[in-house]
Amino acid sequence: MKRYFCYTLIGCTFLVTILSFNFLESQGLKDVSSFPIGTAINFDQLKADAKLKKIQIENFNSITAENDMKMYNVKPNEKEYNWDKVDQMMAYAQKNKQRVFGHTLVWHSGTPDWVKEKGRKDTLWLDNFLKEYILDYVGRYKGKIEGWDVVNEALETEGGDYRKTLWYNVLGKNYIHKAFKYAHEADPNAKLFYNDFNIERDTLKLQGVLNMVKDLKSENVPISGIGFQMHIRMDIPGEVIEHALKKAAETGLLIHLSEVDIIFNKHDDTKNGGVQKYQELTEEMKIAQAEKYKNLVDIYKRVVPKEQQYGITFWGFTDRDSWVKSFFKINDWPCLFDDNLEAKPAYHSFKKALH
Ligand code: XIL
């Protein structure tokens, strides 16, 4: 009788272990995280690819349009708005209970040529266009789009100076203040971000952002957060990233890792500017990348206070589709899933670190 009881107990323990193991395995990234886990998507591609869609739904509870919500897509010409794709995305997000993050209202690379041509010659027109565009866009999705990258990449690639874009050249640095004010006017509850790249490693550039934030706050401009794009390389030291996130968190603003990917090769931040150093992805490289992804989560959780953790968003989740390859013209393996949409060691280590 006693022996029978023992066997039953062992059997039950075994079953519970197996079941809980399966349960953990069947949980996606979002299910084990205390903050939202997002990804950039190309909506047409997602719609057409069942496997991609399944992975996206299982793992993410926040989405950012990779390109579909940029100005050149939403306002392709003076006469009309093109809301179609955004509306489809909103419906998808609602159905799958995902947060929509708006990317991006004002960005030099997202500005269509027709706006550049007109704006260059007519300051008043550009000033008015900025206002109308933001009020229309943010107003249309009021209460539905939770947060926005209001201004993207307003600083030069290196250092802390303002980037000499159409917006800056015609309207002065005040265009940033105005953009935030209009967005807030259109949706007072939306979280409003300034977003930029390399600020986790370029100290001068980070200081430029912090100065800008100070400036905005001193004029009561409603900024809620800083977006670290976090397109990083394997050789960017964790200590450097940690220092930058710590300084940014001291502002008390929300901190969003907004476009995360980790590459092995190099580039000079310009289109087609990639340098191919590694030809293939070895097992050792996969393990090292897994460690790097884990460290990133550890740093974020350690340095950014809980109430300031807006989330971690990937700039795509498969090596197959990563923007890095086409944009910089290199082959690389920056994401959590590989070319065949299988989870890499990076996926598992990232997930474990979220627990
Ligand atoms: C990139 C897209 O991924 C590419 O498809 C497109 O060709 C160029 O823009 N910083 C940003 C993103 O804020 O909008 C950029 O997205 C990547 C760098």
Side-chain angles (χ1 to χ4, degrees):
M1 189 62 187
K2 215 169 169 188
R3 182 177 296 172
Y4 176 73
F5 178 71
C6 262
Y7 285 149
T8 313
L9 195 69
I10 292 171
C12 283
T13 314
F14 183 67
L15 204 68
V16 168
T17 314
I18 295 280
L19 282 178
S20 55
F21 183 71
N22 277 340
F23 178 64
L24 281 184
E25 280 293 286
S26 70
Q27 286 189 305
L29 300 177
K30 65 176 169 51
D31 304 309
V32 298
S33 176
S34 57
F35 45 77
I37 302 293
T39 181
I41 57 157
N42 168 329
F43 195 71
D44 282 341
Q45 186 191 23
L46 190 76
K47 243 183 356 191
D49 187 330
K51 193 168 176 190
L52 199 68
K53 201 165 146 187
K54 184 169 182 289
I55 299 175
Q56 202 279 330
I57 292 171
E58 279 171 2
N59 284 289
F60 301 96
N61 52 6
S62 178
I63 48 172
T64 305
E66 183 172 2
N67 293 305
D68 296 329
M69 289 177 66
K70 291 172 178 169
M71 193 185 274
Y72 62 83
N73 275 323
V74 168
K75 190 82 186 162
N77 58 62
E78 194 170 1
K79 291 196 180 62
E80 57 185 347
Y81 281 107
N82 176 15
W83 304 120
D84 190 39
K85 207 71 78 56
V86 190
D87 288 344
Q88 286 184 41
M89 230 181 87
M90 298 301 301
Y92 172 86
Q94 202 177 17
K95 184 168 167 214
N96 297 297
K97 300 189 178 56
Q98 301 189 14
R99 164 177 91 181
V100 178
F101 186 71
H103 176 83
T104 169
L105 295 171
V106 189
W107 181 37
H108 65 284
S109 292
T111 310
D113 286 343
W114 74 267
V115 171
K116 287 187 194 154
E117 270 156 39
K118 239 184 134 138
R120 209 178 283 135
K121 296 184 219 131
D122 192 340
T123 308
L124 270 181
W125 179 85
L126 191 68
D127 201 22
N128 193 51
F129 172 75
L130 179 72
K131 180 172 184 180
E132 220 172 77
Y133 178 75
I134 295 179
L135 289 181
D136 285 351
Y137 197 175
V138 178
R140 181 179 166 91
Y141 297 103
K142 182 179 175 189
K144 294 186 180 134
I145 291 182
E146 233 236 41
W148 289 90
D149 280 332
V150 177
V151 178
N152 194 29
E153 304 181 355
L155 297 187
E156 295 285 8
T157 296
E158 286 175 34
D161 291 341
Y162 285 97
R163 191 183 282 275
K164 308 301 176 289
T165 66
L166 165 84
W167 304 99
Y168 181 88
N169 290 338
V170 178
L171 303 176
K173 73 169 185 176
N174 235 7
Y175 83 90
I176 300 172
H177 298 220
K178 287 181 174 173
F180 276 92
K181 283 190 169 159
Y182 300 147
H184 184 66
E185 189 182 328
D187 187 353
N189 291 322
K191 303 284 185 245
L192 306 179
F193 286 78
Y194 175 74
N195 193 52
D196 216 325
F197 65 96
N198 290 3
I199 52 177
E200 73 290 341
R201 70 187 90 152
D202 182 336
T203 320
L204 282 180
K205 191 164 180 177
L206 176 66
Q207 196 50 54
V209 173
L210 297 177
N211 293 344
M212 181 199 296
V213 166
K214 219 168 150 190
D215 196 26
L216 294 174
K217 280 182 158 183
S218 74
E219 293 187 28
N220 290 322
V221 175
I223 179 170
S224 340
I226 301 174
F228 281 74
Q229 292 187 4
M230 208 56 90
H231 295 292
I232 56 175
R233 279 194 323 253
M234 287 295 296
D235 60 356
I236 308 293
E239 296 76 29
V240 172
I241 296 173
E242 178 155 353
H243 176 76
L245 287 180
K246 206 168 170 182
K247 286 205 84 172
E250 280 165 13
T251 60
L253 294 178
L254 295 169
I255 305 294
H256 185 198
L257 307 192
S258 56
E259 306 186 11
V260 175
D261 47 25
I262 307 182
I263 63 170
F264 293 89
N265 293 294
K266 297 196 174 188
H267 58 71
D268 61 4
D269 292 304
T270 65
K271 200 162 168 51
N272 303 330
V275 181
Q276 189 78 45
K277 195 168 158 207
Y278 299 92
Q279 302 300 332
E280 58 174 333
L281 180 66
T282 63
E283 288 306 313
E284 286 80 10
M285 285 160 72
K286 284 187 201 168
I287 302 300
Q289 190 186 43
E291 186 64 18
K292 193 86 183 158
Y293 266 112
K294 171 194 176 298
N295 286 342
L296 189 62
V297 180
D298 288 345
I299 294 171
Y300 186 67
K301 286 187 14 177
R302 186 167 62 241
V303 166
V304 179
K306 238 183 166 24
E307 59 282 7
Q308 288 171 254
Q309 295 170 353
Y310 191 73
I312 298 185
T313 298
F314 295 92
W315 211 242
F317 53 93
T318 81
D319 289 346
R320 186 190 70 181
D321 305 326
S322 169
W323 74 296
V324 164
K325 301 203 279 197
S326 51
F327 192 84
F328 297 112
K329 265 218 168 96
I330 35 170
N331 192 23
D332 212 296
W333 312 272
C335 302
L336 299 191
F337 289 81
D338 67 15
D339 289 334
N340 301 314
L341 309 196
E342 298 300 328
K344 288 158 68 183
Y347 172 84
H348 299 290
S349 64
F350 182 86
K351 187 172 171 183
K352 215 165 148 209
L354 287 173
H355 277 282

